[in-house]
Amino acid sequence: MRRGTRFLPLWILLALFAAGVTAVQRKLDRDRSVHFVDTRPVFLPNGKLLRWMSMGHTASFADVLWIQSVLYFGRRTLEDENPYYRYAIERGMLARELAGVSRPEVRIPSNPGFETLHTKLHRGFVSRGLVREIYPLLDRVTTLDPHFIHPYIFGGVYVLMDTGELDAAESLLLRGHRENPGSWKLAFYLGWYYWMFRGDVDQSRAYMERAVAVPGCPDYVFSLLRGVTRQANAWDLTIQYLRGILESTDNPEIRKKIQKELEALEEARK
Amino acid sequence: MRILAVASNTFKETIRNRILVNILLFAVFLILLSLVVGEWSMGHQVKVIKDFGLSAMSLFGLLIAVFIGIRLMVQEMEQRTIYLILSKPIRRWEFVLGKYLGLAATLAVNVALMAAALWAVGLIQEGRVDLSLIPAILLIYLEILLIVAFALLFSTITSPTLAAVFTLCVYVIGHTTAFIREFITVHPDKGAHWLLRIIYLVMPNLENLNLKAAAVEHAALPPHAAAFGGLYGLGYIAFVLTLTVLIFENKDLK
Amino acid sequence: MTDSVIFTEDLTKIYQGELGQKPTVGVEGLHLDVRPGEVFAFLGPNGAGKTSTLKLLTRLLMPTRGRALIFGEPVSDNRTMRRVGFVPEQPNLYGYLTAAEMLDFIAKIFGLPASVRKKRISDTLDRVGLAASGGLAVRTFSRGMMQRLGMAQALINDPDLLILDEPMSALDPIGRKDFRDLILDLKNRGKTLFFSSHILSDAELVADRCGILNRGRLVQTGILGDLLESQTGSIEIAFIPAGGRPSAEDLARFSFSEQGGNRVVRVTRPEDVTAVVAAVQAHGGRLVSVSPQRKSLEDVFMAEIGR
């Protein structure tokens, strides 16, 4: 028999097995997509254990967890543009989910001029309370790779604006600043945090001073510090702060979010 | 001269090894894959590529060190080529050192190729070649060399399988000692601390050779951390090789 | 002792067994003295300690006690080995090299300069009959070719002493013939050869002197001729009887055997030879051969190891 035809039955078997495996895979994928919106980190060893488990590859482990955080956040952001969110709405899967969320109590500082902005922000917090579990993830990421600056900012600024998790964001930013005293950004964001969410001008000024002490700190942080020191108009200062943040990042997602806040603020001011 | 002859022969042997080629291809593939994974990182592709690239170098280096490092001596004994060589006017330490240096040369080529792949990907993403990774890469190379030294040591005293297990244990312990030190510092003097202290000092501390994260983020390090890390690695390699020679000098080649 | 090529004194190797095993004797109390220019056959059954001895001489094993000298220098001295060539039993060479590369590697270990190496390699390959195979990868070699290459690597430094472990066991008849010629050639050039073997017929053809080893102990040494002649041989007469008839009365006192159509008589006294030959011719039979039977090394060997 010729070589080609002799193995024909085996080739057929091979094709059958391949088709079978693919079919099962597709079936599994179909079933799984139903639970997509529910995806959340199930079990995470604490940061120290993860450090050990990484066997020195801490940065790569951190990257993987970071990507997970981003994906998790992306899936659970309640926006009309989010396909996962739309899918969940269609299936009527969100009611139970939302009922289970205990919304954070947002203590709005009694800082004159903030009310409008904060009322708006608070609404945001209330409607977007589904991403709280991101903080444990970011905690792992930053423990694994304490010099990876962005996760601190992501959790301390960006996620904060969605969740209102003031305490978690604060501790993340503080740890970031402790680990990276040479980064003006973290000091600057802390200054913003205390001004914006705690109404604590003294703390804010203290961190801004630390920020400008770092070589390479851009000019707008200096002018912000001057504004804080002079106790300038709260509206102006808030807008200036948000512009500074806009300035400090080239991440399109963050810029989009800040721009929205800026627009809202300027709208309210009119 | 004799060491060089053995080394160049070992280089020829190992560079033609199929395992090596496969591992290398896979490593390069992984580095390329990090391009894709990096896309999801919200604007941190470059960091992800570098982190993954350095990790791949170190991990695949480890694999090569274990698989080829152990075969290095075992093959000589199983194929009985060692009887022929060692009956020549060559001292046993020369033979061991030659073998080691030969594999070290192969690994150098290997690390260089992986680094080139990493830099090429970096060039595409970042538009420049990040030379600040060099100290970290050199230390990865030293870490691999240290693991090879251990593989050589274990393969002269025990069976290949056990030698592989022991070598992997060294890798795990080597990345654990830093935690032992932390434990000693945080919980000062309790019963068995002297034992922990001895373990800490005797076992290699591979974290000394780990600048991966710091290099990518340009983080501030203690002065000359890379230089002293290198010195530590070289010293430890010298120690393990001397121990290997000591054992090998008195070994009966039955 | 001063001009001995190989000299050992109470050379002993006892293998410490693994945990819980009894120690085993490799070789014990070996006294050897191989003279310059000799071809010395080191004989013994499998497991007698031949290879142990050879490995002690080439310092692959560390002696438990006693000492071994080659050219009057301790074998542990690295320089001693420069004048020695060694072929292990069924030599294995690096499969990933070509034959010429392999020899080049060995030559480098001997520290031969590049100018000498090239010519030496082609000469040596030629001598062992591998001139055409120098560029082939060693992994493609047959066992016989491997044995030849093993011989070549031992000759690359033009040694004064060659130590060979079972050199002929992997060779075909042509290979054995070539090998015997090579040994005689080396002997004529004043080299000393020391080889182990359990194939006695080969040893008998080339050796001047032999030592017989059994259970780790040397039981006999001597010049081959002396060993063999110390026993008287017999004479064998073969003939074809006339017309296939049975033997005549004259031959009745001898015992016969049939060998391939011939009738064979074995006698010990020379006068019986005359009697047998005369009787065969008287009866019109045809004489085929009269051959003196040497005592074979095998007989000596069997007597010594007492089987």
Side-chain angles (χ1 to χ4, degrees):
Chain A
M1 221 189 264
R2 276 182 53 237
R3 195 161 153 260
T5 48
R6 189 151 51 108
F7 293 116
L8 195 61
L10 281 181
W11 282 112
I12 292 170
L13 269 182
L14 199 68
L16 277 178
F17 287 139
V21 170
T22 315
V24 175
Q25 177 71 62
R26 287 166 62 94
K27 156 85 179 132
L28 284 172
D29 286 346
R30 266 198 310 280
D31 293 353
R32 233 179 252 148
S33 61
V34 177
H35 305 289
F36 224 145
V37 156
D38 274 348
T39 306
R40 71 187 76 188
V42 181
F43 166 75
L44 264 185
N46 75 31
K48 218 173 206 174
L49 187 59
L50 272 174
R51 262 191 99 82
W52 177 76
M53 281 166 64
S54 78
M55 287 284 117
H57 300 273
T58 47
S60 296
F61 264 52
D63 290 350
V64 170
L65 280 178
W66 165 245
I67 289 168
Q68 278 203 3
S69 315
V70 172
L71 292 180
Y72 171 75
F73 185 78
R75 283 195 204 104
R76 298 180 71 86
T77 307
L78 309 188
E79 266 175 11
D80 287 343
E81 299 141 50
N82 185 343
Y84 299 107
Y85 173 64
R86 291 222 307 271
Y87 183 84
I89 295 275
E90 276 166 27
R91 293 237 166 181
M93 289 162 59
L94 269 179
R96 191 194 48 194
E97 182 83 12
L98 283 166
V101 174
S102 60
R103 299 204 174 79
E105 188 201 323
V106 184
R107 290 155 289 157
I108 299 171
S110 55
N111 207 342
F114 282 167
E115 277 89 3
T116 325
L117 177 65
H118 276 287
T119 315
K120 195 166 171 48
L121 280 176
H122 191 165
R123 257 204 311 280
F125 296 159
V126 169
S127 65
R128 293 174 164 193
L130 284 177
V131 287
R132 293 174 59 202
E133 282 113 339
I134 199 167
Y135 282 103
L137 263 171
L138 291 174
D139 176 70
R140 269 40 164 212
V141 173
T142 53
T143 311
L144 278 169
D145 195 353
H147 302 299
F148 187 9
I149 306 283
H150 193 74
Y152 298 114
I153 299 171
F154 183 70
V157 180
Y158 187 71
V159 181
L160 169 66
M161 289 174 138
D162 271 357
T163 58
E165 290 282 338
L166 294 180
D167 295 338
E170 181 184 17
S171 71
L172 197 64
L173 282 173
L174 282 174
R175 195 146 54 86
H177 179 60
R178 199 168 58 235
E179 296 278 359
N180 303 283
S183 161
W184 63 265
K185 276 189 185 176
L186 285 163
F188 164 60
Y189 289 127
L190 271 167
W192 175 72
Y193 171 85
Y194 282 112
W195 162 262
M196 188 85 172
F197 295 97
R198 297 293 198 204
D200 189 337
V201 181
D202 294 337
Q203 279 275 43
S204 181
R205 191 172 55 232
Y207 279 107
M208 294 302 279
E209 276 164 1
R210 287 197 202 180
V212 298
V214 176
C217 181
D219 291 343
Y220 55 82
V221 184
F222 282 89
S223 48
L224 262 171
L225 175 60
R226 276 197 298 278
V228 175
T229 314
R230 277 191 281 109
Q231 302 267 334
N233 178 297
W235 283 95
D236 290 346
L237 211 49
T238 307
I239 289 169
Q240 212 181 336
Y241 255 125
L242 286 174
R243 290 215 171 108
I245 293 171
L246 197 63
E247 200 66 31
S248 73
T249 178
D250 47 11
N251 187 298
E253 296 289 319
I254 295 188
R255 290 179 70 89
K256 206 166 82 189
K257 181 161 292 205
I258 300 293
Q259 232 137 16
K260 256 190 193 164
E261 301 292 352
L262 263 173
E263 278 162 24
L265 205 59
E266 278 174 357
E267 182 75 16
R269 200 181 179 189
K270 279 175 197 164
Chain B
M1 171 69 186
R2 289 189 292 253
I3 298 178
L4 219 63
V6 175
S8 74
N9 186 49
T10 307
F11 179 72
K12 272 185 213 162
E13 173 192 354
T14 47
I15 206 86
R16 293 177 194 177
N17 196 315
R18 269 201 211 120
I19 301 175
L20 184 85
V21 178
N22 287 337
I23 290 177
L24 192 62
L25 281 179
F26 196 65
V28 171
F29 168 72
L30 251 189
I31 292 171
L32 292 177
L33 190 72
S34 66
L35 262 177
V36 182
V37 177
E39 284 292 316
W40 306 328
S41 66
M42 228 179 131
H44 293 86
Q45 285 101 324
V46 174
K47 170 181 159 38
V48 171
I49 289 163
K50 287 177 187 169
D51 286 340
F52 276 31
L54 292 179
S55 284
M57 268 182 182
S58 154
L59 281 177
F60 289 106
L62 171 76
L63 282 184
I64 295 169
V66 173
F67 281 116
I68 301 184
I70 286 171
R71 299 294 308 155
L72 210 57
M73 274 301 173
V74 170
Q75 203 157 316
E76 290 276 353
M77 296 202 218
E78 277 175 1
Q79 311 236 316
R80 297 172 322 204
T81 39
I82 198 167
Y83 298 143
L84 206 140
I85 306 303
L86 288 183
S87 68
K88 306 296 173 213
I90 183 171
R91 294 181 190 90
R92 290 196 176 182
W93 68 263
E94 294 174 324
F95 181 72
V96 171
L97 206 61
K99 281 256 131 192
Y100 182 77
L101 291 178
L103 181 53
T106 300
L107 288 167
V109 171
N110 192 54
V111 168
L113 285 175
M114 287 198 266
L118 176 55
W119 272 320
V121 173
L123 188 66
I124 297 166
Q125 277 292 321
E126 217 183 351
R128 72 188 185 97
V129 170
D130 186 0
L131 294 180
S132 62
L133 296 180
I134 288 176
I137 292 173
L138 286 179
L139 287 190
I140 286 175
Y141 179 55
L142 273 185
E143 183 187 19
I144 298 170
L145 286 189
L146 181 54
I147 297 293
V148 172
F150 271 107
L152 206 61
L153 170 67
F154 291 135
S155 66
T156 54
I157 54 177
T158 181
S159 71
T161 317
L162 273 183
V165 173
F166 287 160
T167 310
L168 286 173
C169 282
V170 166
Y171 185 78
V172 173
I173 290 169
H175 284 290
T176 309
T177 40
F179 296 90
I180 297 177
R181 175 158 180 269
E182 211 174 294
F183 182 81
I184 295 171
T185 327
V186 176
H187 310 274
D189 251 322
K190 278 186 197 147
H193 264 203
W194 58 272
L195 188 65
L196 280 180
R197 245 175 258 262
I198 290 172
I199 292 173
Y200 172 66
L201 283 176
V202 170
M203 288 298 159
N205 189 342
L206 295 177
E207 286 297 326
N208 291 344
L209 303 175
N210 184 6
L211 291 188
K212 288 192 281 289
V216 173
E217 281 135 17
H218 308 290
L221 286 167
H224 309 302
F228 279 111
L231 200 63
Y232 176 84
L234 287 174
Y236 216 110
I237 289 168
F239 170 78
V240 177
L241 282 181
T242 310
L243 191 62
T244 309
V245 167
L246 204 65
I247 291 167
F248 193 65
E249 283 284 344
N250 292 304
K251 191 178 167 71
D252 277 334
L253 300 168
K254 283 180 215 169
Chain C
M1 178 205 139
T2 42
D3 59 345
S4 300
V5 174
I6 298 177
F7 181 85
T8 70
E9 198 171 51
D10 191 28
L11 190 62
T12 300
K13 178 69 197 179
I14 291 161
Y15 296 107
Q16 291 312 126
E18 299 283 316
L19 214 62
Q21 286 176 349
K22 272 195 285 182
T24 51
V25 174
V27 58
E28 199 171 7
L30 182 72
H31 292 273
L32 265 184
D33 187 356
V34 177
R35 316 299 303 170
E38 254 181 359
V39 177
F40 192 100
F42 198 51
L43 309 172
N46 290 331
K50 299 189 298 288
T51 297
S52 290
T53 308
L54 264 53
K55 283 187 179 175
L56 285 165
L57 289 177
T58 48
R59 62 203 187 140
L60 295 172
L61 295 178
M62 308 295 153
T64 309
R65 60 168 198 270
R67 59 184 189 142
L69 306 179
I70 289 181
F71 298 116
E73 305 285 340
V75 293
S76 55
D77 190 332
N78 208 31
R79 280 165 307 179
T80 311
M81 289 299 160
R82 287 192 195 167
R83 294 173 64 192
V84 180
F86 172 60
V87 186
E89 184 176 3
Q90 290 183 21
N92 233 332
L93 297 121
Y94 296 118
Y96 50 87
L97 297 180
T98 66
E101 279 177 328
M102 181 71 216
L103 292 184
D104 192 55
F105 171 49
I106 300 289
K108 274 184 190 157
I109 289 180
F110 278 106
L112 296 180
S115 52
V116 180
R117 284 205 301 268
K118 202 160 177 263
K119 181 154 174 19
R120 188 72 71 80
I121 289 165
S122 66
D123 287 354
T124 313
L125 281 172
D126 198 31
R127 251 173 111 181
V128 297
L130 289 176
S133 314
L136 293 182
V138 171
R139 93 172 71 80
T140 64
F141 275 27
S142 68
R143 256 177 57 159
M145 285 167 88
M146 205 67 129
Q147 189 75 43
R148 285 164 187 263
L149 186 59
M151 195 68 196
Q153 61 80 27
L155 292 173
I156 199 80
N157 57 325
D158 192 22
D160 296 317
L161 166 68
L162 264 166
I163 300 176
L164 315 168
D165 197 359
E166 299 285 355
M168 282 174 282
S169 58
L171 293 175
D172 59 14
I174 301 168
R176 284 174 195 221
K177 167 81 171 59
D178 288 351
F179 177 76
R180 284 197 300 271
D181 293 346
L182 186 60
I183 284 189
L184 292 176
D185 177 47
L186 288 165
K187 181 181 153 66
N188 289 338
R189 295 212 237 158
K191 313 287 186 195
T192 309
L193 285 107
F194 183 84
F195 71 94
S196 77
S197 184
H198 62 265
I199 302 174
L200 303 165
S201 51
D202 288 326
E204 207 175 331
L205 286 172
V206 289
D208 301 320
R209 214 150 68 89
C210 73
I212 297 175
L213 199 66
N214 192 30
R215 295 191 192 148
R217 289 185 165 278
L218 195 63
V219 289
Q220 174 76 268
T221 51
I223 295 170
L224 213 61
D226 294 351
L227 277 180
L228 299 178
E229 274 164 30
S230 64
Q231 331 266 335
T232 32
S234 56
I235 297 164
E236 209 175 74
I237 305 155
F239 62 94
I240 301 170
R245 276 175 48 208
S247 58
E249 301 82 49
D250 300 305
L251 299 176
R253 59 197 172 97
F254 303 110
S255 57
F256 292 91
S257 59
E258 293 279 345
Q259 269 180 19
N262 295 340
R263 200 148 292 185
V264 175
V265 181
R266 189 166 285 193
V267 298
T268 44
R269 286 178 306 165
E271 56 268 32
D272 287 342
V273 177
T274 329
V276 173
V277 170
V280 168
Q281 284 171 338
H283 289 85
R286 192 152 59 83
L287 201 60
V288 175
S289 70
V290 178
S291 43
Q293 296 293 294
R294 271 179 86 194
K295 183 100 180 168
S296 76
L297 189 52
E298 196 171 325
D299 300 328
V300 179
F301 184 78
M302 286 303 177
E304 286 301 341
I305 65 172
R307 258 192 257 172

